[in-house]
Amino acid sequence: MPKIDILDTKGNVVGNTELSERVFGIEPNEPVVHQVVVAQLANKRQGTKGSKTRSEVRGGGRKPWRQKGTGRARAGSSRSPLWIGGGVIFAPKSRDYSKKVNKKVKNLAMRSVFSAKTADQELRVVDAFDFAAPKTKDMVAALDALNAKNALIVTPEKDATVYLSARNIIKVQATTVSELNVYDMLKYDVLVLTKDALAKIEEVYA
């Protein structure tokens, strides 16, 4: 069973804890992680683009002029894509890009990333971010001490002090266990968990 040190905001070791083998010690499944990331990015797409084809543009029901004898090219509709005010050839249409992923597959992808972060020593567990008030400077100092300048900070519930302290720092994001996802974990180099967030993650994913 893997073990990890618990640190304070100054980078000092204040204890250690055993990590769940099922969550932090499995063989990462890269194809599943890829599948979940693709689905997550696809689900962000709005798919609301759209233009009208010649059959959908209003008007154009009457033949503009007779077929022969005018000296002009034959025309059947003033809404032809060749005409101003006409339809669009191969017009883009609204569509749903969303992909469904089973809960067990999502769970495996999350556990795979947790395990990969642990194996690559990109996981930090902090006793608590006990700042007196929201201060960006304090968060920068804490992340420097944790060697986590490019980090995703995870708290068990929404923590206004942590969120406000981290929101103006480049390459740093604060989130909660319930909002945690595969894409965000891969986007940042280091995963920083509070001790309470770690307990909740093991409860949810074990």
Side-chain angles (χ1 to χ4, degrees), residues 21-83:
E21 186 78 33
R22 178 171 165 74
V23 180
F24 295 93
I26 68 167
E27 181 69 29
N29 190 321
E30 290 186 17
V32 166
V33 172
H34 177 264
Q35 180 185 344
V36 171
V37 169
V38 168
Q40 190 176 334
L41 294 177
N43 293 343
K44 286 184 176 182
R45 297 183 68 176
Q46 289 186 326
T48 52
K49 62 185 178 182
S51 298
K52 293 181 178 180
T53 63
R54 62 183 295 167
S55 66
E56 296 166 324
V57 176
R58 186 167 182 265
R62 177 174 175 268
K63 188 172 173 67
W65 51 74
R66 60 197 172 97
Q67 183 82 346
K68 293 177 177 289
T70 63
R72 288 179 288 189
R74 57 195 174 185
S77 169
S78 61
R79 297 299 180 260
S80 162
L82 306 180
W83 285 47

Side-chain angles (χ1 to χ4, degrees), residues 4-206:
I4 193 166
D5 291 333
I6 298 173
L7 310 171
D8 61 15
T9 53
K10 294 180 180 177
N12 301 317
V13 178
V14 293
N16 61 65
T17 185
E18 289 187 346
L19 300 173
S20 169
E21 186 78 33
R22 178 171 165 74
V23 180
F24 295 93
I26 68 167
E27 181 69 29
N29 190 321
E30 290 186 17
V32 166
V33 172
H34 177 264
Q35 180 185 344
V36 171
V37 169
V38 168
Q40 190 176 334
L41 294 177
N43 293 343
K44 286 184 176 182
R45 297 183 68 176
Q46 289 186 326
T48 52
K49 62 185 178 182
S51 298
K52 293 181 178 180
T53 63
R54 62 183 295 167
S55 66
E56 296 166 324
V57 176
R58 186 167 182 265
R62 177 174 175 268
K63 188 172 173 67
W65 51 74
R66 60 197 172 97
Q67 183 82 346
K68 293 177 177 289
T70 63
R72 288 179 288 189
R74 57 195 174 185
S77 169
S78 61
R79 297 299 180 260
S80 162
L82 306 180
W83 285 47
I84 292 174
V88 177
I89 302 172
F90 304 130
K93 291 297 175 186
S94 296
R95 56 169 287 193
D96 181 10
Y97 290 96
S98 64
K99 296 176 182 288
K100 289 186 177 179
V101 179
N102 293 335
K103 283 184 180 179
K104 287 185 178 179
V105 174
K106 282 184 184 176
N107 186 294
L108 176 58
M110 292 290 286
R111 291 188 289 115
S112 293
V113 178
F114 285 136
S115 298
K117 290 286 186 187
T118 305
D120 295 340
Q121 296 184 344
E122 294 176 349
L123 179 68
R124 309 281 188 274
V125 178
V126 181
D127 190 34
F129 287 102
D130 50 356
F131 302 145
K135 251 192 177 178
T136 303
K137 187 165 74 172
D138 291 345
M139 181 60 78
V140 169
L143 293 176
D144 282 346
L146 296 169
N147 192 23
K149 294 181 180 179
N150 184 331
L152 179 64
I153 303 166
V154 185
T155 54
E157 304 293 343
K158 189 82 172 183
D159 188 324
T161 302
V162 172
Y163 173 75
L164 293 172
S165 298
R167 69 176 176 175
N168 286 333
I169 307 174
I170 298 173
K171 296 182 180 179
V172 173
Q173 180 182 335
T175 188
T176 63
V177 173
S178 60
E179 295 171 342
L180 194 58
N181 61 76
V182 172
Y183 178 75
D184 283 345
M185 286 198 289
L186 294 175
K187 182 179 174 182
Y188 296 92
D189 292 342
V190 180
L191 184 62
V192 180
L193 309 176
T194 64
K195 189 169 66 173
D196 293 338
L198 173 63
K200 193 166 183 178
I201 286 170
E202 291 186 336
E203 181 184 332
V204 172
Y205 294 100

